[in-house]
């Protein structure tokens, strides 16, 4: 699913966000990435989504080599990914429902499926009643849940959730973690970053990656380790 | 519902939103596109009218031969026979003094009263020679060498002058077409750029979600086509007004000027302007979008 070999990412201003990352993630895994602010969690997700390219090393996502020359194919790859951005990236001036629908219009869904998936996703994050509210008017926590709904409605093979519980109270946070965890199956890989180590401490299964100053430390629970 | 129709509804709504975001500059663009297309349609109008007039005048291909008034009827007949032998002449006929008078009276119509100011018929009889216009030069040469001819009036001069005007109009037309095409493209692509800039966050998000360029760009293309088509409609309405006005004035002022029917000008020029405006809209928006891709 994801293979990183000696990947480093240095931003244009010289900030080295990731150093010598080696990573092998199988389809159907669930990965929790923790680490202090500024340690490189978002940067790693950016690489996987093709928002940045490795400045060193090689990265493959679902077989797609992540290099600038492959831009068009990377755009296609993104259709199989459900991203939840740390800053949401909802489309302003539109309702919660429209935002979710818009994330699916160019995927292989029929209009009926698009509408059904959108309703179901909204219901799942507990926002059915905010369906027709403009996203500009939603609270942070609500916006975050719309962003999650948009990602899961796409029925992606890979979910990239960057701090999906960052703005939620404990109940909602646990709920969202449960939803994201439950999405994982043979066909769906889930990657979640979070500061909130208490939310994942008791998880019995999954790959736990700790990033410290751009370097990865890995621990696997409940699944066989291969490194 | 069909997926295409489903997305088309979305695209239309999107382009409406785009239009509203930049409402005033869109309105001004429509007006300026409308005016430049109107100028183009005026040039096309001139082009069409003059080629029509040339056609009519050429088809009439006729020369009036004023003979020496002292010639006897017999000599006139000989002269006519000689003229008919010239290559390129199809027929000759004698127009008597009275007939010449009647013809002018007919042309002047309501104004024919002027002719009554003359005590006697001011017209002279002449031989009307129908010719193939291509051979006008050689025919004139031959006629000039004949005896008994006072004066020859041909419309070669008029045709030549019209043809010169037509060439100028054609050149102007092509220049106008290029200038208008370029300026419309600039206006449209600028507006589209503006729209892209205003929507850069949304575009960026859609790209991150994997939306194809065509999906992202379609509302912008629609907006561009919408702008230019509305401009085309404005040009069309102005053209119709000008034509209506022009025809009512021309027909009374210059009743003998051969003009094509109003619809035969309005409809082809109108269709051309509308098609052109749609095309310019598409190309302009593609330009606007293409520039964006390079910068990204
Ligand atoms: N576009 C950029 N240009 C330059 N430096 C950047 C850029 N984006 C991130 N950085 C830097 O790279 C480092 C890692 O940032 P990153 O966003 O990956 O951290 P993070 O672990 O996601 O932090 P947080 O928990 O606060 O979200 C930080 O030092 C950050 O300042
Ligand atoms: Mg981050």
């Amino acid at each position: 699913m994801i293979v990183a070999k000696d990947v480093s990412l240095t931003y244009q201003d010289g900030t080295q966000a990731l150093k010598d990352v080696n990573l092998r993630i199988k389809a159907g895994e669930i990965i929790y990435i923790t680490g202090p602010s500024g340690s490189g969690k978002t940067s790693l997700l950016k690489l996987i989504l093709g928002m940045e390219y490795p400045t060193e090393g090689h990265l493959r996502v679902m077989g797609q080599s992540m290099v600038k020359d492959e831009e068009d194919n990377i755009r296609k790859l993104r259709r199989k990914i459900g991203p939840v951005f740390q800053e949401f990236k909802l489309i302003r001036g539109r309702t919660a429902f429209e935002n979710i629908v818009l994330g699916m219009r160019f995927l292989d869904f029929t209009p009926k499926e698009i509408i059904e998936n959108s309703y179901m996703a909204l219901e799942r994050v507990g926002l059915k009643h905010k369906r027709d509210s403009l996203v500009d008017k939603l609270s942070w926590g609500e916006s975050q849940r719309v962003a999650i709904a948009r990602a899961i409605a796409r029925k992606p093979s890979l979910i990239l959730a960057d701090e999906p519980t960052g703005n939620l109270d404990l109940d909602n946070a646990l709920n969202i973690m449960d939803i994201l965890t439950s999405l994982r199956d043979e066909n769906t890989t889930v990657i979640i970053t979070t500061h909130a180590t208490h939310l994942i401490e008791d998880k019995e299964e999954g790959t736990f990656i700790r990033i410290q100053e751009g370097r990865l430390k890995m621990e696997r629970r409940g699944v066989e380790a291969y490194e | 519902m069909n997926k295409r129709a489903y997305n088309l509804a979305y695209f239309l709504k999107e382009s409406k939103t785009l239009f509203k975001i930049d409402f005033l500059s869109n309105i001004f663009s429509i007006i300026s596109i409308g005016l430049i297309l109107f100028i183009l349609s005026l040039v096309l109008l001139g082009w069409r009218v003059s080629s029509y007039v040339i056609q009519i005048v050429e088809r009439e291909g006729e020369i009036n031969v004023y003979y020496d008034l002292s010639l006897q009827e017999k000599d006139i007949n000989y002269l006519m026979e000689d003229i008919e032998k010239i290559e390129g002449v199809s027929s000759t006929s004698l127009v008597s003094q009275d007939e010449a008078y009647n013809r002018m009276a007919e042309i002047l119509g309501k104004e024919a009263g002027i002719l009554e100011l003359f005590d006697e018929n001011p017209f002279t009889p002449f031989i009307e020679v129908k010719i193939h216009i291509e051979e006008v030069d050689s025919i004139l040469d031959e006629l000039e060498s004949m005896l008994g001819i006072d004066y020859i009036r041909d419309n070669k001069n008029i045709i030549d002058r019209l043809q010169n005007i037509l060439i100028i109009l054609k050149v102007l037309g092509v220049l106008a077409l290029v200038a208008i095409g370029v300026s419309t493209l600039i206006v449209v692509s600028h507006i589209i750029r503006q729209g892209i800039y205003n929507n850069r966050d949304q575009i960026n998000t859609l790209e991150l979600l994997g939306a194809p360029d065509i999906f992202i760009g379609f509302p912008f293309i629609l907006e561009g086509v919408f702008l230019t088509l509305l401009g085309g409609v404005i040009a069309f309405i102005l053209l119709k007004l000008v034509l209506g006005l022009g025809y009512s004035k021309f027909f009374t002022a210059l009743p003998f000027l051969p003009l094509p029917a109003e619809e035969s000008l309005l409809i082809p020029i109108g269709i051309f302007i509308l098609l052109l405006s749609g095309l310019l809209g598409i190309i302009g928006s593609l330009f606007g979008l293409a520039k964006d891709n390079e910068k990204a």
Side-chain angles (χ1 to χ4, degrees):
Chain A
M1 166 96 343
I2 299 173
V3 183
K5 213 168 167 291
D6 303 324
V7 167
S8 296
L9 172 63
T10 308
Y11 285 109
Q12 297 226 305
D13 64 357
T15 314
Q16 188 162 29
L18 293 167
K19 299 177 192 105
D20 297 324
V21 172
N22 283 288
L23 192 65
R24 213 179 168 85
I25 296 171
K26 278 189 177 171
E29 273 194 81
I30 182 152
I31 292 99
Y32 302 98
I33 301 176
T34 58
S37 179
S39 56
K41 303 183 291 297
T42 300
S43 300
L44 182 59
L45 297 193
K46 278 187 183 169
L47 285 179
I48 296 173
L49 198 58
M51 294 167 74
E52 300 287 344
Y53 302 103
T55 38
E56 274 168 63
H58 301 283
L59 176 66
R60 283 188 166 270
V61 178
M62 295 185 234
Q64 173 64 52
S65 162
M66 305 304 277
V67 290
K68 178 115 178 69
D69 285 349
E70 290 282 305
E71 257 176 337
D72 291 348
N73 288 327
I74 290 173
R75 181 86 66 88
K76 286 186 192 138
L77 170 77
R78 288 175 180 162
R79 292 174 208 161
K80 293 188 267 181
I81 300 178
V84 181
F85 300 99
Q86 194 165 3
E87 70 283 16
F88 318 140
K89 292 196 193 292
L90 295 178
I91 290 168
R92 277 172 296 152
R94 259 155 267 246
T95 65
F97 188 72
E98 284 169 340
N99 260 274
I100 301 169
V101 166
L102 188 47
M104 276 188 285
R105 285 186 180 272
F106 42 87
L107 303 180
D108 278 334
F109 292 112
T110 64
K112 188 162 165 269
E113 287 168 333
I114 292 177
I115 291 167
E116 278 172 8
N117 287 8
S118 302
Y119 275 124
M120 257 150 46
L122 264 182
E123 189 157 27
R124 226 164 153 180
V125 298
L127 278 181
K128 226 169 84 180
H129 59 293
K130 291 288 182 186
R131 194 184 80 189
D132 298 322
S133 304
L134 288 180
V135 293
D136 320 43
K137 302 269 157 68
L138 296 179
S139 75
W140 274 69
E142 286 166 341
S143 302
Q144 185 147 44
R145 285 186 280 160
V146 174
I148 292 165
R150 180 176 66 187
I152 64 182
R154 287 155 59 93
K155 303 214 179 299
S157 316
L158 173 62
I159 288 191
L160 297 178
D162 200 2
E163 295 284 353
T165 59
N167 302 290
L168 301 180
D169 55 75
L170 188 62
D171 276 355
N172 264 312
L174 287 170
N175 178 36
I176 290 298
M177 271 299 179
D178 281 349
I179 293 170
L180 290 175
T181 312
S182 73
L183 288 173
R184 178 184 83 99
D185 59 33
E186 322 74 85
N187 300 315
T188 314
T189 311
V190 180
I191 302 181
I192 302 171
T193 76
T194 181
H195 287 112
T197 40
H198 62 275
L199 288 175
I200 57 170
E201 264 160 5
D202 57 341
K203 298 276 178 208
E204 284 165 9
E205 225 185 300
T207 303
F208 296 78
I209 298 177
R210 185 159 175 81
I211 307 190
Q212 198 98 44
E213 288 174 14
R215 291 188 190 277
L216 267 57
K217 254 187 259 161
M218 246 198 272
E219 178 203 340
R220 285 192 155 94
R221 290 181 206 161
V223 285
E224 87 263 36
Y226 34 90
E227 217 189 31
Chain B
M1 206 189 335
N2 171 295
K3 178 82 171 273
R4 288 236 170 99
Y6 185 62
N7 277 345
L8 188 64
Y10 158 77
F11 290 140
L12 286 172
K13 214 171 134 199
E14 278 296 299
S15 49
K16 205 176 93 190
T17 312
L18 284 174
F19 189 81
K20 276 196 286 193
I21 291 177
D22 225 356
F23 189 72
L24 266 187
S25 35
N26 277 312
I27 293 294
F28 287 134
S29 311
I30 291 174
I31 293 173
S32 46
I33 292 169
L35 290 178
I36 51 186
L37 286 173
F38 173 61
I39 293 169
L40 176 66
S41 59
L42 286 185
V43 175
L44 292 177
L45 190 70
W47 182 339
R48 262 190 92 85
V49 168
S50 49
S51 45
Y52 179 85
V53 171
I54 286 178
Q55 238 181 30
I56 295 290
V57 176
E58 270 186 354
R59 204 188 307 141
E60 280 179 354
E62 89 182 23
I63 296 175
N64 297 342
V65 174
Y66 294 86
Y67 50 84
D68 192 338
L69 288 175
S70 60
L71 287 185
Q72 301 300 306
E73 201 179 320
K74 190 181 59 169
D75 297 327
I76 296 171
N77 282 337
Y78 283 144
L79 182 60
M80 283 169 68
E81 276 170 31
D82 283 346
I83 292 176
E84 270 177 38
K85 282 188 202 128
I86 300 174
E87 196 163 308
V89 170
S90 41
S91 69
T92 59
S93 59
L94 190 65
V95 176
S96 68
Q97 198 172 15
D98 287 344
E99 201 181 336
Y101 182 97
N102 290 340
R103 282 188 184 184
M104 186 46 82
E106 203 175 298
I107 288 175
L108 291 176
K110 277 185 287 180
E111 322 286 331
I114 290 177
L115 295 176
E116 276 156 29
L117 298 175
F118 296 96
D119 290 338
E120 46 186 278
N121 188 340
F123 298 97
T124 44
F126 59 90
I127 302 170
E128 191 176 76
V129 184
K130 299 248 185 255
I131 61 161
H132 298 297
I133 195 75
E134 317 81 66
E135 316 210 32
V136 61
D137 288 328
S138 62
I139 293 171
L140 286 177
D141 281 350
E142 291 231 25
L143 285 175
E144 258 153 36
S145 66
M146 283 183 172
L147 292 172
I149 294 177
D150 249 5
Y151 169 66
I152 302 165
R153 205 180 72 192
D154 61 82
N155 53 12
K156 188 171 172 294
N157 242 333
I158 303 174
I159 293 178
D160 280 351
R161 222 175 289 167
L162 277 172
Q163 233 138 18
N164 283 338
I165 293 176
L166 185 63
I167 291 171
I168 294 171
L169 279 169
K170 276 184 179 166
V171 171
L172 274 182
V174 171
L175 285 180
L177 198 64
V178 171
I180 279 154
V182 169
S183 43
T184 308
L185 289 183
I186 291 173
V187 170
V188 173
S189 60
H190 180 76
I191 281 283
I192 298 302
R193 292 276 319 142
Q194 199 64 40
I196 289 171
Y197 184 77
N198 290 333
N199 284 274
R200 60 197 180 285
D201 288 343
Q202 175 181 342
I203 291 172
N204 181 255
T205 303
L206 285 172
E207 283 175 355
L208 292 177
L209 291 170
D213 282 337
I214 181 74
F215 181 89
I216 298 173
F218 205 76
F220 291 94
I221 295 176
L222 276 182
E223 189 202 8
V225 173
F226 187 61
L227 290 181
T228 51
L229 271 184
L230 276 183
V233 169
I234 289 179
F236 184 82
I237 292 171
L238 288 176
L239 179 68
K240 195 172 155 54
L241 289 177
V242 163
L243 266 180
L245 203 72
Y247 266 71
S248 59
K249 290 260 189 278
F250 258 126
F251 266 137
T252 45
L254 304 162
F256 45 84
L257 198 75
L259 279 181
E262 197 175 331
E263 294 74 42
S264 77
L265 291 175
L266 183 66
I267 292 170
I269 295 180
I271 290 176
F272 177 78
I273 292 288
L274 287 177
L275 287 179
L276 179 75
S277 64
L279 189 72
L280 288 175
I282 294 175
I283 300 174
S285 339
L286 288 177
F287 271 161
L289 289 168
K291 271 196 271 168
D292 179 59
N293 281 346
E294 273 166 29
K295 280 197 179 152

